[in-house]
Amino acid sequence: MTTKYGFSDVREQLLEGIKSAYPTKLECCRTAKVLGEDIFGSPKPHPNAVLNLFTEQGIKFALPFAAYRAGMGGFSSLTSDKPGTVLPRHALAFTIYGMETIRGGVAKLAHSVVRNMSLEDCSDEACWVNKGINPSDRRMEALEQIYDVMVKEGKGNVLSSDLSLENIVCVDCAKTPKEAHHLWCTMIWEELPGIFGIGESWEEV
């Protein structure tokens, strides 16, 4: 409507809001106060409806993160048949693929981190992975909790900036999964447009 009726100032304000809620840089994603469909206020639209809207209006820069938000809703949300939420076949296929790629990637990362930590020892007597203090079942419980935190138990924002691990292991042991997760998030973010079939790179979108 702002384009049709020439309300350029209003359009620019709307686009600025969308740019902050649907970022193109990972650091902006981590510092934004409002992300995704929350920018539209109440009642909050379905993430599929937002993805459809951006596709129809040609707001290409917002499509990778919009697809990510739709993917994080899970399979039942993605395949919603409610009015306005039905995704075209091509968009649905790429969003499911993207969701599986991200979920599978973070699960593999968490498995690798936990496996490596299980082979190492910690000298901190208060740390749950200290072999000299804790029995193997307690160490395994701590490692399982680290795995769950890293994959967010299948929910939420897997590109979150912070992993709350200090209540599970010591600060030094928490550094390993945090650093690995940060590097993985950086890599996945750069590939986000391609993962969701939007373009080869952020520069292209």
Side-chain angles (χ1 to χ4, degrees):
M1 288 181 67
T2 58
T3 301
K4 181 178 180 180
Y5 294 108
F7 299 146
S8 58
D9 290 345
V10 177
R11 179 177 171 80
E12 286 303 314
Q13 290 176 17
L14 291 171
L15 285 174
E16 283 304 311
I18 291 171
K19 285 177 182 177
S20 65
Y22 291 86
T24 59
K25 297 183 182 298
L26 182 58
E27 56 268 27
C28 296
C29 173
R30 291 175 166 174
T31 57
K33 294 181 180 178
V34 179
L35 283 173
E37 52 280 359
D38 288 338
I39 193 69
F40 295 100
S42 182
K44 183 168 65 175
H46 193 284
N48 290 6
V50 177
L51 182 56
N52 281 333
L53 173 68
F54 290 167
T55 302
E56 292 166 3
Q57 296 300 315
I59 307 177
K60 198 172 180 182
F61 74 84
L63 287 175
F65 195 69
Y68 167 75
R69 292 286 292 196
M72 292 303 103
F75 188 74
S76 61
S77 176
L78 272 176
T79 56
S80 171
D81 58 359
K82 295 178 181 178
T85 68
V86 178
L87 293 174
R89 185 175 179 180
H90 182 267
L92 178 62
F94 266 109
T95 308
I96 291 174
Y97 169 79
M99 176 180 68
E100 291 301 311
T101 299
I102 291 172
R103 293 288 187 205
V106 74
K108 287 179 181 178
L109 172 72
H111 180 271
S112 175
V113 167
V114 165
R115 180 182 178 279
N116 289 338
M117 289 183 72
S118 71
L119 301 175
E120 298 172 357
D121 196 7
C122 176
S123 59
D124 190 326
E125 294 184 0
C127 185
W128 277 35
V129 294
N130 185 315
K131 290 181 180 179
I133 304 295
N134 297 294
S136 59
D137 56 343
R138 186 173 185 185
R139 294 184 71 249
M140 184 56 64
E141 182 182 344
L143 293 172
E144 287 174 353
Q145 287 183 37
I146 291 171
Y147 181 91
D148 288 342
V149 170
M150 290 189 72
V151 299
K152 306 296 183 189
E153 298 179 344
K155 300 177 181 179
N157 179 15
V158 297
L159 296 176
S160 170
S161 61
D162 186 40
L163 297 177
S164 300
L165 300 171
E166 284 76 9
N167 60 333
I168 304 172
V169 291
C170 67
V171 173
D172 285 339
C173 286
K175 287 180 182 178
T176 299
K178 285 188 172 188
E179 289 174 358
H181 184 258
H182 178 77
L183 290 173
W184 178 84
C185 286
T186 302
M187 178 193 72
I188 285 294
W189 184 271
E190 291 305 312
E191 297 177 0
L192 213 61
I195 287 173
F196 288 109
I198 312 299
E200 293 299 321
S201 66
W202 283 105
E203 286 74 19
E204 185 175 319
V205 302

